[in-house]
Amino acid sequence: MPYVSSRFMHIFRAVESLSQFLEESEGRVGFVPTMGALHQGHLELVKEAKSKSDIVVVSVYVNPTQFNNPDDLKNYPRDEEGDRSKLESAGCDVLWFPQESDMYPDGVHSEQFDLGILENVMEGSFRPGHYQGVATIVDRLFSAVRPDVAIFGEKDFQQVAVIRRMAELKSHPTEIFTASTIREKDGLAMSSRNLLLEPNYREASPVIYKAMKRAGEDRENMSPDHAKAAAIREIQSSGLDVEYVEIVDSSTLSSIVKWDESEEPRIFVAAYAGKVRLIDNLKLN
Ligand code: PAF
């Protein structure tokens, strides 16, 4: 059976069936690549894709090459049935579950992309190989779907820069858009990993957003370095283990020492809440 189709949403596994379906379809294709365990943040990406295209394709694939920690890959939340029903309600047209044999026919390893500074700062330096894995899989997903537009969440701000770079290197014509980070009422950025938080860490985690907001509030009296040190202290004092806090220019991702060095300064945080690694970022003007 090439694909299973529900009343509103086509579901594919094999890449050939997906490609054939898309070739026979008319209209602009909008694409939202995900790793599943979908939450409201993902559904907002679907909404954004719907506003910019005629056919919305969502892929759900936990990509092994972007995990630099085998336990993280093993524990990553998976919920195929839940994803299916959320996407159907969100009006997704095509749900694709890529198969490992289609994505990695020559073995599970990354290609090497020249990602420049993106591999040496923040997520790039703390998660070696992670962005090569992201670039590899998104290149293959784009090649299969050939989307007119693709939407990614701003929570993974550095990842979007990596994907833009990969798209340029591989001449993908896809227009890439970002959608704002969706937060819980207490400020915690929505993430599939939040499902893994122990209750005490779930309670403590909104400190990341609070500390990021504070970092932009007193720019007259605090240099970026002071603001960064204050954010680290605040997050640590809530029991999270800070991996990095950086204040950088949004377009270059280089650190700034004075606020007026950047038209759009942005703070980035990575911190462990128990065993769960959380990341977030916020524009500071
Ligand atoms: O952001 C994600 O969920 C993943 O990194 C992506 C873009 C789907 C690639 O596996």
Side-chain angles (χ1 to χ4, degrees), residues 33-35 63 66 137-138 152 156 159:
T34 79
M35 297 209 297
N63 170 40
Q66 72 187 75
I137 193 64
V138 178
F152 296 88
D156 297 307
Q159 166 173 279

Side-chain angles (χ1 to χ4, degrees), residues 113-153:
F113 292 83
D114 176 5
L115 300 176
I117 186 187
L118 297 171
E119 257 206 313
N120 304 326
V121 297
M122 302 187 289
E123 292 302 278
S125 63
F126 281 92
R127 300 188 65 189
H130 168 62
Y131 282 142
Q132 295 296 342
V134 170
T136 300
I137 193 64
V138 178
D139 175 30
R140 293 177 186 189
L141 297 171
F142 275 14
S143 298
V145 175
R146 297 202 276 140
D148 296 286
V149 301
I151 322 285
F152 296 88

Side-chain angles (χ1 to χ4, degrees), residues 13 36 39 95 101 137 143 151 155 158 174 199 207 211 221 223 243 258 260 283:
R13 291 184 191 274
H39 50 70
L95 166 57
S101 53
I137 193 64
S143 298
I151 322 285
K155 185 175 92 65
Q158 192 177 352
T174 305
V207 70
N221 297 313
S223 68
E243 191 162 67
K258 288 194 195 140
D260 61 11
K283 185 158 86 79

Side-chain angles (χ1 to χ4, degrees), residues 185-201:
K185 283 204 181 73
D186 58 14
L188 177 63
M190 288 194 186
S191 162
S192 307
R193 286 194 165 84
N194 294 352
L195 291 169
L196 304 173
L197 287 169
E198 287 171 30
N200 55 329
Y201 284 115

